[in-house]
């Protein structure tokens, strides 16, 4: 079994657990997680993530971007810095990530901050287009708004709507536009019925696996930092929801993940 964890904050997992990076990667590879994408949330972390990836080029890929939850602090200078790094075309920098929209936090919905969220998403989608990279998207209570952006700014490599929770119709619209759907710990919770039914029904080749570690705990591991090796648990839950064999599911998802994020 080979898995690709297509959405992690491994830099934050390392800070939270104080474990050596080699250790975190070893634990992941022990259950078949051959590759891990680290995504950024703020400019201050760009260099750390780049350095982490350079230490384990076999296992790691990275994305750089400015996350909507941190919208208050982002500046034009951060976008400029992002563009400078994209220009360097580091072979392991394979996504503009994590970017998107956040409508579940009322404080971030003032006219001013909502406009800023939209402006930063717009600018970063343009960068993904210009530098021909896929995006790794955050969307909470904002699927309709996000869809409008993706339709208007066509990013050739598309990308993934990560940690998807929502209806089949919402997911299908993204898929029809060429985007993938990130499947994470959410499907391990019985109460997430709508999302589970969505994931059961979507075309298999539209799905990617992820942990969002250290966030989004898998059922049974609540209260602990989430880790890339929990992909194995997410995968089991996915297999229970799908008709295809585990081998076909694993192979299809691995191939698509590598195709997208290298
Ligand atoms: Zn994330």
């Amino acid at each position: 079994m080979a898995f690709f964890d297509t959405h992690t904050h491994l830099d934050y997992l390392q800070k939270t657990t104080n474990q050596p990076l080699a250790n975190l990667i070893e634990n992941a590879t022990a259950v078949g997680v051959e590759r891990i994408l680290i995504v950024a949330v703020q400019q201050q972390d760009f260099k750390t993530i780049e350095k982490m990836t350079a230490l384990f080029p076999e296992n790691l890929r990275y994305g750089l971007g400015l996350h909507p939850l941190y919208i208050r602090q982002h500046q034009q200078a951060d976008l400029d810095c992002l563009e400078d790094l994209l220009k360097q075309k580091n072979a392991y920098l394979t996504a503009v990530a994590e970017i998107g929209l956040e409508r579940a936090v009322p404080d971030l919905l003032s006219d001013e901050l909502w406009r800023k969220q939209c402006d930063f998403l717009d600018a970063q989608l343009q960068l993904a287009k210009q530098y021909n990279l896929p995006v790794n998207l955050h969307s909470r209570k904002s699927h309709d708004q996000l869809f409008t952006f993706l339709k208007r700014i066509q990013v050739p490599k598309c990308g993934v709507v990560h940690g998807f929770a929502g209806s089949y119709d919402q997911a299908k619209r993204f898929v029809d536009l060429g985007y993938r759907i990130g499947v994470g710990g959410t499907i391990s919770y019985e109460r997430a019925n709508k999302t589970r039914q969505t994931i059961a029904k979507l075309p298999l080749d539209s799905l990617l696996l992820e942990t969002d570690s250290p966030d989004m705990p898998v059922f049974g591991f609540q209260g602990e930092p989430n880790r890339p090796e929990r992909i194995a648990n997410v995968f089991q839950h996915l297999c229970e929801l799908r008709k295809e064999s585990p081998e076909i599911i694993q192979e299809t998802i691995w191939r698509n993940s590598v195709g997208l994020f290298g």
Side-chain angles (χ1 to χ4, degrees), residues 7-9 39 41 67 98 138 162 210 212 215:
H7 191 107
T8 74
H9 301 276
V39 296
V41 296
H67 194 294
E98 177 177 354
H138 173 101
H162 110 83
E210 60 162 87
D212 200 14
D215 302 325

Side-chain angles (χ1 to χ4, degrees), residues 165-208:
S167 72
Y168 176 77
D169 290 343
Q170 287 171 324
K172 189 65 171 39
R173 276 205 301 177
F174 289 124
V175 170
D176 288 344
L177 209 55
Y179 283 81
R180 301 268 177 32
I181 298 297
V183 180
T186 307
I187 62 157
S188 67
Y189 294 85
E190 295 262 348
R191 64 165 189 268
N193 223 333
K194 185 169 67 175
T195 302
R196 284 158 61 98
Q197 281 170 16
T198 300
I199 300 303
K201 230 167 98 182
L202 286 170
L204 181 61
D205 63 7
S206 69
L207 305 179
L208 301 182

Side-chain angles (χ1 to χ4, degrees), residues 62-79:
Y62 68 109
L64 298 180
L66 304 166
H67 194 294
L69 272 171
Y70 297 73
I71 194 65
R72 274 203 184 83
Q73 70 188 51
H74 302 323
Q75 305 294 331
Q76 179 59 41
D78 300 334
L79 280 175

Side-chain angles (χ1 to χ4, degrees), residues 223-234:
E224 315 175 15
N226 195 10
R227 296 162 176 280
E229 57 264 36
R230 302 272 150 76
I231 276 282
N233 304 67
V234 179

